[in-house]
Structure formats: structure tokens, C-alpha cells
Amino acid sequence: MSKDREFEGYRRYVEELVALEDDALREARATSKREKLPPINVSASEGKLLQVLARSINAQRILEIGTLGGYSAIWLARALPPAGQLVTLEINPHHAEVARRNFVRAGLSDRIEVRVGPALDSLHRMSAERAPLFDLVFIDADKEAYVNYLEAALPLLRRGGLLLADNTLPEAVLNDSDNSRTKPYNAAAAANSSLTSIIIPVFRDRGLDGLMISVKI
Ligand code: SAH
Ligand code: MG
């Protein structure tokens, strides 16, 4: 069997066993495609991984950086109790609008707040406002700013909370002289003494990527 087909077999097995999409998730992807959003959402199995992680710490408050059409936010918000809240930050008003519609259709609009604007501004505002701490932060916006997001989001995360970062196995990790994409974030998180971290490979529709999971200690 070719490597590609073998990989596809593993991917489908996991997805069909534990990460099947329902109508709301399928619709969120379809609407995003119709509205010409780039297809750069997490895969179904990574969405399920996010949800399982949020459940495992009984998360009540979740912060997402990078909403797109709301696909990952739907997976995450489904881990919340009815009184829980997910705040998601998005710079593109069109993306935010598509996401809001997807949240209504998923029956989650009471639990999700979309804040439009540069994520760093929103993070600084939340710190200044002394917003209640979050149990989980998921970083998935512009890759060049991940280190800034780490610094701005860490004070907003409770001790014992999870800091998750998507796209942390870029091709650049195969080349020692390439320090692009999320490599500076990986190095910063690994070197941060208030975090203990691992990178988990995740299935994409094509090939692999990574989710960095850090616990704030
Ligand atoms: N988490 C989503 C995918 C996010 S894609 C999912 O898996 O479903 C990255 C998103 O980050 C895009 O929608 C992009 O518009 C947004 N983004 C890029 N730069 C940003 C910034 N400076 N502040 C906030 N959002 C930003
Ligand atoms: Mg991503």
C-alpha cells in the first residue's frame, strides 16, 4: 500500500470512529466555502481533540484567537456547560459575520462572543479590563504573531489551564536554517518555565500538522 493511501486509511478510521461531523459542522464548512473563506479550518479529528481537551479540564471559559468561519469554535463550544462562554477573536469582519451565522445555526450563539479587530488589541483590552481568567486558550491566527499571542494570552489563562497552538508542525521544522511560521512560538513555549508542553501530530485532509499542548503550571 502506498504511504498516502495508508495515511488516508488511518485518517478515515479515526474520523469515522470518533470525529463524525453532524449537520451543523457540515453546514459551517459549506457556508464558509460558499462565502469564499479559505479552507484552513482544523480537521474534524483535530476539532474533536480540542473538544476532548476542553472537556478533560471541565472548561467553563475558552478563548480562541482566529475564528475564520467558526468551525473550530463549534467543536470547542460544545464542550462547554450551558453557562460557559467562548470568546473568539477575528480581524476580518466578513469572517466574523459568517461565523456568527454558523453559531446561530449550531444553536451556540448564546455561548459564543465574536470580537472583531486585531487580536492583540482585544487581548490587551481584556487584560486592562481584568476579564475573568480562561481555562483554555486556542491560538490559530496569523502565524508570525504567535509569540505575541503567547505573551498577551498567558496572563489571561488560569493556572492548570491549557494553552493550545495550531499549525505547530510546519514544513520549516524539517530545515534547521528556516525559522519561519510557528517555529519561534514552539521555541518560546518550550523555553517558558511556566509551561509544560508537547506537540501532538494531527491528521489534516492532506498530510500532517501539529497541535502544541501546554499546561500552565
Ligand atoms: N480557528 C479556525 C481557523 C482560523 S484561520 C478554524 O480552525 O476553524 C486564521 C484566522 O485568523 C483567519 O480568519 C484570519 O482572518 C484571522 N486573523 C489573521 N490575523 C489576525 C489578527 N491579527 N487578529 C485576529 N485575527 C486574525
Ligand atoms: Mg490552523
Side-chain angles (χ1 to χ4, degrees):
M1 204 192 296
S2 80
K3 276 280 166 218
D4 278 2
R5 281 197 45 205
E6 191 177 294
F7 184 86
E8 179 58 14
Y10 287 125
R11 188 188 72 74
R12 280 194 33 202
Y13 173 79
V14 172
E15 209 165 289
E16 286 168 13
L17 189 68
V18 292
L20 277 183
E21 292 181 329
D22 65 358
D23 286 346
L25 284 163
R26 263 193 300 275
E27 261 302 302
R29 273 197 302 106
T31 308
S32 301
K33 189 173 177 194
R34 258 198 317 276
E35 295 286 343
K36 309 270 190 293
L37 272 53
I40 53 173
N41 51 272
V42 298
S43 62
S45 66
E46 188 180 358
K48 183 64 183 288
L49 173 59
L50 296 173
Q51 187 177 97
V52 167
L53 289 168
R55 281 266 181 185
S56 73
I57 57 162
N58 188 23
Q60 316 278 315
R61 283 180 55 76
I62 295 175
L63 174 63
E64 176 178 73
I65 305 174
T67 314
L68 193 65
Y71 184 80
S72 55
I74 293 174
W75 281 103
L76 277 167
R78 285 178 169 171
L80 289 170
Q85 202 198 14
L86 182 147
V87 177
T88 181
L89 312 180
E90 174 56 55
I91 199 168
N92 183 313
H94 180 58
H95 295 181
E97 192 41 50
V98 172
R100 285 195 182 106
R101 271 188 270 142
N102 285 330
F103 299 150
V104 171
R105 211 176 294 106
L108 291 166
S109 51
D110 58 328
R111 264 170 252 189
I112 305 182
E113 183 194 335
V114 186
R115 293 204 185 183
V116 182
L120 258 192
D121 292 356
S122 299
L123 292 169
H124 290 144
R125 195 160 310 126
M126 283 189 274
S127 287
E129 287 167 356
R130 305 206 171 277
L133 296 182
F134 291 94
D135 303 298
L136 185 155
V137 175
F138 175 48
I139 304 178
D140 192 20
D142 44 327
K143 308 308 157 197
E144 296 66 31
Y146 268 38
V147 173
N148 302 327
Y149 298 144
L150 168 67
E151 285 161 7
L154 206 50
L156 294 168
L157 182 67
R158 73 160 163 91
R159 223 183 293 169
L162 293 177
L163 178 67
L164 309 178
D166 193 29
N167 309 112
T168 42
L169 283 179
E171 258 176 37
V173 303
L174 303 177
N175 180 350
D176 285 347
S177 59
D178 183 346
N179 198 32
S180 67
R181 305 293 288 174
T182 51
K183 276 179 84 177
Y185 174 89
N186 290 345
N192 191 309
S193 60
S194 62
L195 297 174
T196 181
S197 303
I198 186 67
I199 298 174
I200 300 286
V202 291
F203 292 114
R204 277 294 136 88
D205 288 342
R206 243 164 248 285
L208 267 190
D209 205 328
L211 180 72
M212 190 159 197
I213 303 175
S214 306
V215 183
K216 184 170 174 179
I217 50 181

XYZ file of all heavy atoms in Angstrom, residues 40-42 138 140 143 146 166-167 204, ligand 2:
91
model
N -9.005 26.650 5.644
C -7.858 26.420 6.531
C -8.292 26.123 7.960
O -7.521 26.291 8.894
C -6.876 27.623 6.502
C -7.620 28.933 6.791
C -6.159 27.701 5.151
C -6.689 30.147 6.943
N -9.571 25.692 8.102
C -10.066 25.273 9.419
C -9.372 23.995 9.872
O -8.786 23.270 9.060
C -11.585 25.043 9.340
C -11.957 24.132 8.192
O -12.158 24.615 7.075
N -11.983 22.826 8.403
N -9.467 23.702 11.166
C -8.939 22.434 11.668
C -9.705 21.278 11.006
O -10.825 21.461 10.524
C -9.063 22.328 13.215
C -8.255 23.397 13.920
C -10.519 22.347 13.670
N -6.875 28.833 22.690
C -6.500 28.170 21.432
C -6.000 29.233 20.469
O -6.762 30.102 20.045
C -7.709 27.430 20.853
C -7.472 26.804 19.496
C -6.338 26.035 19.239
C -8.405 26.960 18.473
C -6.126 25.459 17.984
C -8.215 26.380 17.220
C -7.064 25.628 16.979
N -4.753 30.304 16.850
C -4.859 29.803 15.473
C -5.038 30.959 14.478
O -5.789 30.838 13.519
C -6.035 28.809 15.377
C -6.034 28.014 14.076
O -4.970 27.930 13.427
O -7.096 27.470 13.722
N 0.363 33.372 11.847
C 1.427 32.564 12.472
C 2.585 33.417 12.981
O 3.226 33.079 13.986
C 1.963 31.516 11.484
C 0.879 30.661 10.834
C -0.065 30.029 11.841
C -1.400 29.666 11.213
N -2.464 29.425 12.199
N 2.286 34.544 16.688
C 2.022 33.577 17.762
C 2.787 33.917 19.053
O 2.261 33.744 20.141
C 2.424 32.163 17.311
C 1.326 31.336 16.669
C 0.371 31.899 15.823
C 1.261 29.959 16.901
C -0.605 31.114 15.233
C 0.285 29.170 16.315
C -0.644 29.739 15.480
O -1.608 28.960 14.894
N -2.244 25.836 17.134
C -2.398 25.038 15.916
C -1.249 25.306 14.937
O -0.559 26.315 15.020
C -3.737 25.386 15.254
C -4.109 24.375 14.176
O -3.705 23.198 14.286
O -4.792 24.753 13.204
N -1.079 24.380 14.015
C -0.106 24.522 12.912
C 1.319 24.596 13.414
O 2.145 25.350 12.875
C -0.462 25.744 12.042
C -1.915 25.740 11.612
O -2.701 26.589 12.041
N -2.300 24.768 10.811
N -4.539 16.061 8.912
C -5.178 17.068 8.075
C -5.815 16.331 6.915
O -5.586 15.141 6.735
C -4.128 18.042 7.517
C -3.765 19.134 8.479
C -4.952 20.045 8.731
N -5.093 20.346 10.138
C -4.493 21.352 10.754
N -3.746 22.171 10.086
N -4.660 21.539 12.029
Mg -4.923 26.380 11.985
